[in-house]
Each structure stands twice: as structure tokens, then as C-alpha cells.
Amino acid sequence: MRLAPYPSGALHIGNARMVVLNNEYVNKHDGEVYLFYDDTIGSPKSLRNTPKAKYVLPEAYDLIKDGLEWLGVKYTKVFYKSDRLELYYEYCEKLIKDGIAYVCFCSAGDFKNKFKDQKKPCPHRAQSVEKNLKEWNFMLEGKYEETTAVVRLKTGMDQKDPAVRDNIIMRISEAEHPRVGNKYLVWPMLEFSWAIDDYLIGITHIIRGADLVKEDFIEDFIWDHFGWKKAEFLHYGRIKFPDMKLSKTEARNNIQKGLYEGWDDPRTWSLQSLKKRGIKPEALKESLLSLGMSISGITFSTGWLYSKNKDLIDEISDRYFFVEDPVLLEIDEVPFEEYMAEPMLLPSNPKKGKRIIKGKVSNKKLKIFISKKDANKLKVGQILRLKDLINIQILSIDLKNNNVTSYYHSLELNREYSIIHWVPYDSNIKVKILKPDGVVSNGYGEINLKSIPLNTTIQFERYGFVNPIKLENDELFCYFTH
RNA sequence: GACCCUAUCGUCUAAUGGUCAGGAUAGUAGGCUUUCAACCUGCAGAUCUCGGUUCAACUCCGGGUAGGGUUACCA
């Protein structure tokens, strides 16, 4: 089998389905999978400035390799379409000699309106083999500019299905290719190149999305013509990823404009970004695999991925205190000089030990931060518990100035009081969290966060899982996991 | 428009023509818990529609309807 990514950017969660399915199939049947960079030229030079333009991005080759490595996919060979142009030329010439392909000079619009839609042959279809060969060589020699001449396959202008009437198999592109530069002027279309390559490299099974079912026809047509052994096609349906913009092209544009941080920006939903968020490859694999191979269109729910991932990281992620959008809370009449809380790193595994959060009380006054969200729910007179510390009673609430006052109530845990999290006023660390939608949330975390390992998920209690990325200038920067 | 494909709980997915239509996730109620998390126990929730074949239809056939795809000198 083969993985055939188009190297226009890093693999994203949508491309991952193709990868995971191929990998699973190969593992199950003790087969082999090749990595085959589908790096044809993409959009012609003259169309490159449109936002939809598709073209090879040099760094994508490595981004793809990294992504596959992260997913744990093992391939046995690597191919590049851009290495194989001579092969396509050779077989294209054979098709012309066999009278089954011709050089066509119709414009795209004319061909569609005057001939394809009318089921009529265009004037070039009847050219002699000699004439076609001559024109084909002119194409290769650069006599024609891009969009003025193409090679079409004689699948039949009377095909019932308009999608498969004399498709283009070769066209001219003056664009420069990152690997082979301007060495080649004539490039194959995807279906044609695969018809040749799938046979030549000995592919037995092809898994592709339902959006490519019509491509099967072209491959089949050419295999029939040459009398080649056929591969078997398997298809899976379209996935919709609501609320994600899964476009390598768009990601590329936003990175170039500086709107995204890079290929690991969470908004790209690239494998790199998932890794950086602390998503485990197994979780991604399982959630994609659980969708099966159904051909009908489906809607993906990030909930499945997060649920699978949570199962994996919940028992290994240490717990810490964090308050988002801090609000100052003053506690008066505190009957001791200093305080100390000793919450467990991981309550489900006490062996991991405790952390210590402590500070001093001055003039019976203790100052801490709580989150804005919790502060919003407070009512004057309410008694609540600061987790692992004390119970307090609320005296006044001034949300405009982010200030709440209270006084000490009692020490012992009483489950009737709701429990909230807190961070000392004078001993804390700034925390920034980048979320998948690009929103950054700010707050303070407990001081122990200064000495945690990076790139290992942690849980901010009553907030969520995050993956700490860097500690700089006394500020911890994290990616939000879920 | 033409052509192709698909149709089961909100979502995803199971069910040799015979199951009480199962599971996952989400939802909901309770339990447990110094996290509103996790965990445990309940509850609720689906065969698009109309015909046909059959002792028996989610399953096979036909017509509707709805959704998706292709109709690119993109992949």
C-alpha cells in the first residue's frame, strides 16, 4: 500500500485518517506501506496568486516525515513523484502511439461547453498519431505556453458520466518545483501518474477518500489498456471537522502572514500541533480508527479524541493550582502567622507525593488570588473553602476593581462549603495558555510550576489539561490540551 | 443541470433475513471524592419515507426524500 501526501504543508488531523487507515490495514495483513510524496507541480504559474493555489512547500517533506514518526507509522520505501517525470513521458508517448491519447489545444471553457457537455469530440481528437506525436514533442520542447496545450486520454466523449470524458493526463506548467526546479515543463495529472506508479511499484491495495472515486476509473482504464494487473480500491467517506479550518493551503497562508505561530500552531490542527498540545498519538489513532471505513460522510467530534486522550493522560498528569483572570481576595482575622497547604501531586497516586504552597500572614491579613469565574459566583456572607487551606466567609465583592474581602471562618474541611482554587498573592508565576481557537488565557499559577518538566501534560484543577511549552522571564507558556 | 454514492440513538459505530436493535461519546440523576475532573450506579435516546419480496426485513428490491461527492490545465 502507499501513503501519498501532497507536500503542501504538515499533515493535519484530516490527513491522519488516511495514514492511520493504511497503517492499520498493513499491520493487520502483514503488508508493506510506502511513503510516496505526491509532489507534482500543483497549480500552474499563472494561477499561483489566488488564495486557493496549491503548490509544494519545501519544508513540508520533513514536516510530513515528522508527523508520521510521531504517529508511529513505519514505511519501507520512499518515493518522489518529482523523480519520475521521465516515466510518465514514456507511458504518455505509448498511449499516444497506441492512438488512445491526443494533444488538445482547446481552452478549458471551450472544451467543457462546446464538447464535453455536448458529448461531441473536439477537432483535435481526430488527429493522426503522427501529428499527436509531433505536438507532444513540441510540448516537451517548450514550444507551447502553459494552458495552451494538454494531452487527453480517449476515455470516450460519449461516457454517461460527464466527469470521465476524455480527461487530461498531462499539462504544461512553467512553475518552479522545489526539488527539480525548472527541469520539467510538462507534468502529469494525479490520476495518470498513479495509474503508472501503482503498477510499477507493485501496489496491491489503494485506500483513498470517496472524493477520489472517479480517479479509479482512469487508473482502471489505463491498466486495462496495458493489460496490467490491477490493484484493489477501498474508499472511506468524507469527514467533516466542524469548527476547524483544515486546509494546509490556508494554514500556509496564515503562517506566511504571521497570523499563526508556525506549523505547530493549534489552529492548524497539524500533527505537530497536536503533539505540542499533549495529545498522545495512540489517542488520535484510536479515535480515527473507531470511525471505521464507512463510505458515507461523517461528522467528527473532538470529544472522542479528547476522551481517548484523557484516559491516557489523566493518570500521569500532575495537578497544580491555577487561577484564570485573577481577582484579589483578602482574608482578615486569620489566627496564625503563616500558612501552608500540602495538596497531592496526583490524588489517584499518593506515592507521587505532595507539593507545598505556603506564605506569611501579616497583621492577621492574608492575600490570595482566585479566578474571575469563581469570583463571579460569590455572594456576600457565603462560606467557602479554599482547597487544602481554610474556610472563609465573604464580606464584600467589588468585581469592578477585582477585589473581594472576607474573614477567616474555620479550619476543618466541611463538605457543605464549595471548594475553590487559589494562588498566593506574593508567591506565584504568570501563566499563559494558548487555546486551539487561538485565544490566549492569562492567570497565575502556584510557585511550584517553576520547576516542572516541560512538554509533559499537567492538569490545572477545575480548569483542564495543559502542556507546558516554555518557561521564560518567570512566565509559563502552555498549550491547552482539553 | 448531468453523473455517482450514502442513509441506525445528538454524534460515531455494531447487528449470517430471526437480538430485548448492542457499544462508544455526549446528555441527565445519584454515589464517591479536599478538582465542577476522574471513578462507580442508574436513566434517557435510533433503523429517513412509501411500497414490494418473505413465515420473518435495519438487512434484499423499487419509487420518493434528504445529504455528500465528481463534473479543474488541484490533490
Side-chain angles (χ1 to χ4, degrees):
Chain A
M1 309 199 36
R2 53 168 167 85
L3 303 169
Y6 184 66
S8 58
L11 295 173
H12 57 55
I13 186 170
N15 309 128
R17 186 182 188 195
M18 170 272 288
V19 173
V20 166
L21 284 173
N22 273 284
N23 189 242
E24 181 71 6
Y25 204 92
V26 163
N27 288 342
K28 265 201 176 145
H29 298 92
D30 199 26
E32 262 184 89
V33 66
Y34 302 150
L35 171 57
F36 203 135
Y37 287 106
D38 195 9
D39 62 341
T40 57
I41 197 70
S43 307
K45 194 177 179 180
S46 43
L47 299 173
R48 281 291 164 94
N49 287 327
T50 61
K52 274 169 98 179
K54 214 170 238 188
Y55 53 87
V56 174
L57 197 73
E59 57 264 43
Y61 292 93
D62 284 337
L63 288 168
I64 287 168
K65 230 167 64 182
D66 289 349
L68 293 176
E69 194 178 321
W70 178 72
L71 269 177
V73 171
K74 303 248 186 308
Y75 41 86
T76 47
K77 286 184 190 171
V78 181
F79 296 95
Y80 297 86
K81 213 136 248 191
S82 53
D83 281 342
R84 304 168 67 86
L85 273 293
E86 313 284 353
L87 285 169
Y88 310 131
Y89 293 170
E90 181 189 333
Y91 284 97
C92 180
E93 191 176 308
K94 270 189 194 162
L95 290 173
I96 292 172
K97 281 182 178 161
D98 292 347
I100 205 168
Y102 59 100
V103 177
C104 174
F105 299 94
C106 296
S107 73
D110 276 1
F111 189 82
K112 176 176 164 50
N113 299 325
K114 293 187 190 161
F115 307 111
K116 177 160 43 181
D117 289 350
Q118 314 289 327
K119 289 184 157 190
K120 283 183 184 147
C122 83
H124 315 104
R125 198 176 201 267
Q127 284 161 180
S128 69
V129 170
E130 290 68 35
K131 161 96 168 151
N132 281 322
L133 271 177
K134 201 175 85 188
E135 299 292 0
W136 163 242
N137 281 308
F138 284 154
M139 276 175 75
L140 291 175
E141 286 160 18
K143 185 172 171 190
Y144 300 120
E145 289 178 6
E146 57 179 35
T147 75
T148 60
V150 295
V151 180
R152 289 183 183 277
L153 185 66
K154 288 188 186 174
T155 51
M157 292 306 283
D158 54 352
Q159 287 284 348
K160 202 168 84 167
D161 184 348
V164 294
R165 289 176 196 154
D166 279 20
N167 298 60
I168 293 172
I169 57 172
M170 296 292 265
R171 43 59 198 274
I172 297 165
S173 174
E174 291 160 10
E176 188 179 330
H177 188 281
R179 288 188 77 244
V180 295
N182 290 314
K183 186 171 170 192
Y184 301 106
L185 204 54
V186 180
W187 288 83
M189 299 297 286
L190 160 140
E191 313 88 293
F192 174 61
S193 66
W194 281 120
I196 304 305
D197 286 326
D198 281 328
Y199 169 73
L200 289 181
I201 68 174
I203 296 299
T204 55
H205 299 266
I206 296 163
I207 293 183
R208 58 167 49 137
D211 50 328
L212 293 175
V213 281
K214 300 272 159 105
E215 272 66 9
D216 297 1
F217 175 88
I218 309 293
E219 289 204 58
D220 220 43
F221 185 92
I222 291 171
W223 295 337
D224 268 336
H225 174 76
F226 286 125
W228 289 344
K229 188 168 185 283
K230 296 180 183 182
E232 194 177 328
F233 297 109
L234 303 155
H235 302 99
Y236 55 87
R238 289 285 275 195
I239 302 197
K240 244 191 298 183
F241 291 86
D243 309 321
M244 305 181 202
K245 284 181 205 154
L246 283 193
S247 159
K248 289 189 275 192
T249 303
E250 196 174 325
R252 176 201 72 210
N253 290 339
N254 284 331
I255 290 166
Q256 281 170 357
K257 281 187 225 155
L259 295 173
Y260 286 4
E261 296 213 336
W263 280 104
D264 53 12
D265 189 288
R267 285 161 287 186
T268 64
W269 289 88
S270 69
L271 300 188
Q272 276 78 1
S273 76
L274 294 178
K275 176 186 178 183
K276 207 158 175 179
R277 281 177 59 187
I279 302 284
K280 298 282 182 194
E282 293 76 20
L284 179 62
K285 268 196 230 176
E286 277 179 41
S287 58
L288 288 172
L289 235 32
S290 71
L291 305 179
M293 277 283 290
S294 81
I295 186 80
S296 53
I298 57 178
T299 310
F300 185 83
S301 163
T302 50
W304 303 324
L305 173 63
Y306 296 162
S307 165
K308 286 267 192 303
N309 199 58
K310 179 212 66 200
D311 289 345
L312 297 173
I313 66 173
D314 185 54
E315 50 200 32
I316 57 170
S317 301
D318 290 340
R319 269 54 173 174
Y320 290 97
F321 286 3
F322 163 75
V323 295
E324 185 182 27
D325 299 329
V327 170
L328 181 65
L329 170 66
E330 293 178 90
I331 309 152
D332 209 346
E333 296 177 32
V334 180
F336 26 77
E337 303 284 302
E338 47 191 37
Y339 65 93
M340 181 162 87
E342 293 183 277
M344 278 191 276
L345 271 169
L346 191 52
S348 60
N349 183 6
K351 274 186 254 169
K352 294 200 78 171
K354 296 177 170 178
R355 14 194 257 274
I356 291 174
I357 308 173
K358 61 178 181 181
K360 289 207 173 6
V361 178
S362 62
N363 282 336
K364 293 191 174 179
K365 279 196 168 107
L366 167 55
K367 288 199 220 169
I368 58 166
F369 288 114
I370 62 172
S371 79
K372 183 97 177 182
K373 211 171 158 191
D374 285 334
N376 283 337
K377 289 188 216 155
L378 296 179
K379 292 192 180 82
V380 172
Q382 182 185 356
I383 303 170
L384 66 147
R385 179 162 189 85
L386 302 175
K387 188 167 185 287
D388 295 300
L389 196 64
I390 55 172
N391 305 314
I392 59 170
Q393 185 157 21
I394 303 301
L395 206 58
S396 73
I397 304 168
D398 179 2
L399 290 175
K400 270 184 197 153
N401 295 308
N402 282 339
N403 193 291
V404 177
T405 64
S406 66
Y407 58 85
Y408 175 88
H409 180 271
S410 53
L411 185 65
E412 294 306 315
L413 170 67
N414 180 339
R415 291 207 138 274
E416 281 165 30
Y417 309 145
S418 53
I419 297 170
I420 65 165
H421 288 79
W422 52 278
V423 165
Y425 174 76
D426 48 8
S427 162
N428 58 52
I429 176 173
K430 267 193 206 162
V431 176
K432 261 193 195 325
I433 300 167
L434 177 60
K435 302 205 168 172
D437 57 4
V439 171
V440 175
S441 107
N442 289 287
Y444 293 126
E446 62 177 84
I447 197 73
N448 299 309
L449 290 166
K450 275 190 176 175
S451 52
I452 57 166
L454 297 178
N455 298 305
T456 303
T457 50
I458 57 174
Q459 189 200 62
F460 287 147
E461 294 189 17
R462 289 175 60 242
Y463 180 81
F465 292 92
V466 302
N467 197 39
I469 300 299
K470 68 178 177 195
L471 181 63
E472 229 174 54
N473 306 323
D474 271 347
E475 179 176 287
L476 184 68
F477 179 71
C478 305
Y479 268 35
F480 186 70
T481 311
H482 45 74

